[in-house]
Amino acid sequence: MSGIVVVGSANIDQVFRVDRIPSPGETVLSHGVSTALGGKGQNQAVAAARAGVETTFIGAVGADSFGEMVRSGLSDDAIGVAQLRTSVKPTGTALIAVDGTGENTIIVEPGANSEVAALTSADVEAISAASALVMQLEIPLATVVEAAGIAQAVGTRVILNAAPIQELPQGLLDTLDVLIVNEHEAAELARYNGLAPELDGLGERLLALVPTVIVTLGSKGASLHRAGSEEVVVPAHRVTAVDATGAGDTFCGAFAAGIVEGMLADDALRFAVAAASISVESHGAVPSIPLRAAIETRAKESGNLITD
């Protein structure tokens, strides 16, 4: 087995830069707008590929100019697109407002992403040949469940970024090797499963559901939780953030790449935190995802040295 297969969403992001995120009923003026590749699945695939791991993407785009942008962009990063479907629905689109501190608010029209269903024999073959399957929740949940079951049956590691958060069936939780969530998603998942949602000790409580849990902490870094092991916390790097869009996805793709390359989970966590720290320093989701050399340099500069 080798490489990563990402089953997930691909969007085109329309990003508006504003002084502050508008309140309900309020209109604010933008200081600029840009169009860029995005979508959690596409972001994570690009992050894994730029981190140096062979990557295949399974998803769907429309028969439109945005779909061609996605297909071309993935190919530019040497990501396999043989399983990228073309749908009668338009390519998914995200409307993003980013304020002066780098915080954002996002509205997503799924479009063709809702058509990522009924995995083909070629999809099954790709998943079965991979070292890791990476997924999110911007495509139909039934597809996520199906892909995870295929991967588990053949020993492909299953990594789920449970975002946007929703209630997950027990059958899916049972197939996961690694769950990646932010603090909000972790609390919601705890509530869905009858666990206390308080942040203190939350990652440890989620081990009742999945053997390895990672909680991303935004400007505080990330924490790693494994049954029988002490919590590992990697602090965030000190950076000037201009746009947090895609930072979590960069983290997920980089972490998966590190694991597939044989890094210990602690080192893969440090590698991922370094990658995410670089991504917030420039605008856009896919445009801000760093290459491996930059990630390694950032990790060493911070003292979070990645061991060989």
Side-chain angles (χ1 to χ4, degrees):
M1 290 185 175
S2 64
I4 289 171
V5 169
V6 177
V7 179
S9 58
N11 293 331
I12 292 296
D13 292 344
Q14 302 278 356
V15 183
F16 294 82
R17 313 202 191 289
V18 295
D19 289 331
R20 55 188 174 82
I21 305 299
S23 301
E26 181 183 16
T27 299
V28 298
L29 294 179
S30 171
H31 299 298
V33 61
S34 60
T35 300
L37 300 173
K40 297 190 70 63
Q42 181 171 210
N43 295 345
Q44 292 176 17
V46 171
R50 291 184 185 174
V53 173
E54 180 182 350
T55 305
T56 296
F57 182 70
I58 298 174
V61 294
D64 49 33
S65 60
F66 281 170
E68 287 304 314
M69 285 177 60
V70 170
R71 194 177 295 275
S72 176
L74 290 168
S75 297
D76 286 347
D77 276 300
I79 296 168
V81 294
Q83 277 73 57
L84 181 60
R85 299 145 167 73
T86 300
S87 169
V88 296
K89 292 188 176 182
T91 301
T93 305
L95 179 64
I96 305 172
V98 180
D99 71 13
T101 70
E103 290 298 324
N104 61 54
T105 184
I106 305 173
I107 300 172
V108 176
E109 164 51 46
N113 294 312
S114 63
E115 298 294 298
V116 184
L119 295 176
T120 67
S121 59
D123 297 335
V124 173
E125 183 178 346
I127 293 169
S128 300
S131 295
L133 169 68
V134 177
M135 296 183 292
Q136 330 74 36
L137 299 175
E138 288 185 336
I139 60 173
L141 183 59
T143 306
V144 175
V145 172
E146 180 185 4
I150 292 166
Q152 184 195 44
V154 298
T156 295
R157 186 181 284 107
V158 183
I159 300 173
L160 177 68
N161 173 217
I165 191 62
Q166 59 181 284
E167 188 168 3
L168 302 178
Q170 187 62 49
L172 175 59
L173 291 169
D174 290 342
T175 65
L176 302 184
D177 294 292
V178 180
L179 171 71
I180 302 177
V181 285
N182 63 25
E183 290 178 295
H184 166 73
E185 294 153 358
E188 288 300 302
L189 190 61
R191 289 190 183 94
Y192 288 140
N193 289 276
L195 303 172
E198 288 75 21
L199 294 181
D200 187 31
L202 183 53
E204 298 298 315
R205 291 194 296 280
L206 289 177
L207 291 176
L209 308 177
V210 178
T212 299
V213 175
I214 294 173
V215 181
T216 58
L217 308 170
S219 61
K220 295 179 289 183
S223 60
L224 170 67
H225 310 266
R226 292 162 292 178
S229 299
E230 292 187 3
E231 175 189 29
V232 175
V233 178
V234 174
H237 301 253
R238 293 184 178 179
V239 299
T240 300
V242 299
D243 186 356
T245 306
D249 296 330
T250 299
F251 176 97
C252 293
F255 177 83
I259 290 296
V260 164
E261 285 204 339
M263 289 183 192
L264 297 175
D266 298 26
D267 284 334
L269 188 73
R270 296 182 181 96
F271 185 73
V273 168
S277 77
I278 298 171
S279 76
V280 304
E281 293 179 312
S282 56
H283 291 288
V286 167
S288 69
I289 296 172
L291 295 171
R292 184 183 184 92
I295 301 171
E296 291 178 337
T297 297
R298 175 62 56 87
K300 291 175 182 177
E301 287 174 349
S302 70
N304 288 337
L305 182 64
I306 307 301
T307 58
D308 294 327

